[in-house]
Amino acid sequence: MSLKAGDIVRFERTFTLNDVELFIKISGDEGIHHMNPDAQGRVVIQGLLTATLPTKVGGDNNVLARHMDFEFLKPVYTGDTITCEVTIDQLDPKEKRISIVASFKCHNQHNTLVLKGSFSGVIL
């Protein structure tokens, strides 16, 4: 395994209207703010769609999450580029798997913190 405690893993994504429309179909989250553009032509990204950034980092490392904590701080809009930094806080070998605890922060292209939280689980 290549992860070590203290490692920081980054992932970046720019959200599109197509992303929002697909997430509406999957989740049923049809809030008006996800469907009606603002004065700048943007719609608000669903919070759980934004939360796919840290889960992608977990997925890339075969993490089976047992607990996830999200704090949504600012809205994310179509066209925003979000950078997620996941910090590996703890790795603890246990029997056949490795326990993991990680924290994350997500910033938009203006370096505004939009989401933070943590997750724990096991690495398969």
Side-chain angles (χ1 to χ4, degrees):
M1 183 184 77
S2 61
L3 288 178
K4 301 180 301 299
D7 282 354
I8 297 175
V9 182
R10 290 178 180 82
F11 177 68
E12 183 177 282
R13 178 174 180 183
T14 301
F15 288 98
T16 68
L17 183 57
N18 188 54
D19 295 330
V20 173
E21 291 168 345
L22 288 171
F23 199 78
I24 286 171
K25 287 180 184 175
I26 292 168
S27 69
D29 185 351
E30 297 177 315
I32 196 164
H33 50 294
H34 302 312
M35 299 174 69
N36 291 340
D38 66 7
Q40 296 173 306
R42 311 168 304 171
V43 297
V44 176
I45 304 297
Q46 294 91 341
L48 289 179
L49 179 54
T50 306
T52 62
L53 277 80
T55 64
K56 190 239 189 273
V57 172
D60 286 350
N61 291 280
N62 298 313
V63 173
L64 178 60
R66 291 192 171 158
H67 176 82
M68 301 180 91
D69 179 50
F70 299 101
E71 184 176 355
F72 301 94
L73 302 167
K74 298 283 184 182
V76 174
Y77 297 92
T78 50
D80 282 353
T81 299
I82 307 300
T83 301
C84 182
E85 292 186 345
V86 177
T87 301
I88 309 305
D89 298 317
Q90 297 175 25
L91 289 174
D92 184 20
K94 297 202 183 232
E95 297 180 21
K96 297 180 182 179
R97 296 186 175 158
I98 298 170
S99 293
I100 183 171
V101 176
S103 55
F104 58 85
K105 293 182 179 178
C106 299
H107 294 83
N108 67 15
Q109 67 274 13
H110 306 293
N111 203 33
T112 300
L113 184 63
V114 297
L115 172 64
K116 67 180 182 174
S118 61
F119 63 86
S120 61
V122 295
I123 297 176
L124 301 177

